[in-house]
Coordinates of all heavy atoms in Angstrom, one line a residue:
Q656 N 42.2 37.9 -6.9 CA 43.5 38.2 -6.4 C 44.0 36.9 -5.7 O 45.2 36.6 -5.7 CB 43.5 39.3 -5.4 CG 43.3 40.7 -6.1 CD 42.9 41.8 -5.1 OE1 42.4 41.5 -4.0 NE2 43.2 43.0 -5.5
C657 N 43.2 36.2 -5.0 CA 43.6 35.0 -4.3 C 44.1 34.0 -5.3 O 45.2 33.4 -5.1 CB 42.4 34.4 -3.6 SG 42.7 32.7 -2.8
V658 N 43.4 33.7 -6.4 CA 43.9 32.8 -7.4 C 45.2 33.2 -8.0 O 46.1 32.4 -8.2 CB 42.8 32.6 -8.5 CG1 43.4 31.8 -9.7 CG2 41.6 31.9 -8.0
Q659 N 45.3 34.5 -8.4 CA 46.6 35.0 -9.0 C 47.8 34.9 -8.0 O 48.9 34.5 -8.4 CB 46.4 36.5 -9.4 CG 45.5 36.6 -10.7 CD 45.5 38.0 -11.2 OE1 44.7 38.9 -10.8 NE2 46.4 38.3 -12.1
S660 N 47.5 35.2 -6.7 CA 48.7 35.2 -5.8 C 49.1 33.8 -5.5 O 50.2 33.5 -5.2 CB 48.3 35.9 -4.5 OG 47.3 35.2 -3.8
M661 N 48.2 32.8 -5.6 CA 48.5 31.4 -5.1 C 48.9 30.5 -6.3 O 49.4 29.4 -6.1 CB 47.3 30.8 -4.4 CG 46.9 31.6 -3.1 SD 45.7 30.7 -2.1 CE 46.6 29.3 -1.5
T662 N 48.6 31.0 -7.5 CA 49.0 30.2 -8.7 C 49.9 30.8 -9.7 O 50.4 30.2 -10.6 CB 47.7 29.8 -9.5 OG1 47.1 31.0 -10.0 CG2 46.7 29.1 -8.6
A663 N 50.2 32.2 -9.5 CA 51.0 32.9 -10.5 C 50.4 33.0 -11.9 O 51.2 33.2 -12.8 CB 52.4 32.3 -10.5
L664 N 49.1 32.7 -12.0 CA 48.5 32.8 -13.3 C 48.3 34.3 -13.7 O 48.0 35.1 -12.8 CB 47.1 32.1 -13.3 CG 47.1 30.6 -13.2 CD1 45.7 30.1 -13.1 CD2 47.8 30.0 -14.5
A665 N 48.4 34.6 -15.0 CA 48.0 35.9 -15.5 C 46.5 36.1 -15.3 O 45.7 35.2 -15.2 CB 48.5 36.1 -16.9
R666 N 46.1 37.4 -15.4 CA 44.7 37.7 -15.1 C 43.7 36.9 -16.1 O 42.7 36.4 -15.6 CB 44.5 39.2 -15.3 CG 43.1 39.7 -14.9 CD 43.0 41.2 -15.1 NE 41.7 41.7 -14.6 CZ 41.5 42.2 -13.4 NH1 42.5 42.2 -12.5 NH2 40.3 42.6 -13.0
P667 N 43.9 36.9 -17.4 CA 43.0 36.2 -18.3 C 42.9 34.7 -17.9 O 41.8 34.1 -17.9 CB 43.6 36.4 -19.7 CG 44.4 37.6 -19.6 CD 45.0 37.6 -18.2
E668 N 44.1 34.0 -17.6 CA 44.1 32.6 -17.3 C 43.4 32.4 -15.9 O 42.6 31.4 -15.8 CB 45.5 32.1 -17.2 CG 46.2 31.9 -18.6 CD 46.7 33.2 -19.1 OE1 46.7 34.2 -18.4 OE2 47.1 33.2 -20.3
A669 N 43.6 33.3 -15.0 CA 42.9 33.2 -13.7 C 41.4 33.3 -13.8 O 40.6 32.6 -13.2 CB 43.5 34.2 -12.7
Q670 N 41.0 34.3 -14.7 CA 39.5 34.5 -14.9 C 38.9 33.2 -15.6 O 37.8 32.8 -15.2 CB 39.3 35.7 -15.8 CG 39.6 37.0 -15.0 CD 39.5 38.2 -16.0 OE1 39.9 38.1 -17.1 NE2 39.1 39.3 -15.4

Side-chain angles (χ1 to χ4, degrees):
Q656 289 168 336
C657 173
V658 169
Q659 287 187 273
S660 69
M661 298 187 71
T662 63
L664 289 175
R666 187 183 187 91
E668 287 79 10
Q670 289 172 326

